[in-house]
Amino acid sequence: MLTRFLGLIGKEAECAAKLREAQGALDARCDRQVWELGEDEIKGLVVDDKWMPALSGAVQNELDRVSQALTGRIREVAERYATSLPKLEEEVDVLRRKVFAHLGMMGL
């Protein structure tokens, strides 16, 4: 098992070296390709493939945030005005009578 393990470690090192070599070759090829791109292709890559998705995502996040804030505010207003003014006035009258009754019992 130990010799097999050592063999696998050696293969891992070989694979890592091959990976580094392949990555270097890919980077070099990409560097050469960049110089062959035209201005329109570069603009397309930068604007269409990079900036627009990022900008679209940021706008969507902001819309979601504003939408949630408005929904919360609407709920708050709906809760505040759920009880009608006549109902509130009726409750105030009932409570006012109770207060005056208690004050009367206290001799005021």
Side-chain angles (χ1 to χ4, degrees):
M1 290 296 275
L2 188 56
T3 54
R4 186 169 181 220
F5 179 71
L6 290 174
L8 290 174
I9 288 177
K11 282 185 180 182
E12 180 187 24
E14 289 175 25
C15 289
K18 286 181 182 179
L19 178 64
R20 281 192 300 274
E21 183 180 316
Q23 186 65 48
L26 180 62
D27 289 345
R29 187 173 174 193
C30 287
D31 288 342
R32 285 191 305 271
Q33 185 67 33
V34 166
W35 294 107
E36 295 175 12
L37 292 175
E39 185 176 335
D40 291 337
E41 292 171 313
I42 292 172
K43 285 180 182 178
L45 286 171
V46 171
V47 174
D48 296 337
D49 296 342
K50 184 176 181 182
W51 291 347
M52 291 305 285
L55 186 59
S56 176
V59 168
Q60 187 60 48
N61 288 341
E62 185 65 16
L63 285 172
D64 291 344
R65 186 190 66 76
V66 169
S67 175
Q68 289 175 356
L70 286 173
T71 301
R73 184 69 176 127
I74 289 170
R75 281 190 188 131
E76 182 181 319
V77 169
E79 288 172 5
R80 180 179 300 159
Y81 295 106
T83 307
S84 66
L85 183 59
K87 177 75 172 162
L88 290 173
E89 288 175 342
E90 182 181 314
E91 289 176 16
V92 168
D93 282 340
V94 169
L95 293 173
R96 181 179 298 131
R97 281 188 231 120
K98 284 184 181 180
V99 168
F100 284 133
H102 286 293
L103 289 173
M105 288 171 35
M106 294 170 53
L108 297 175

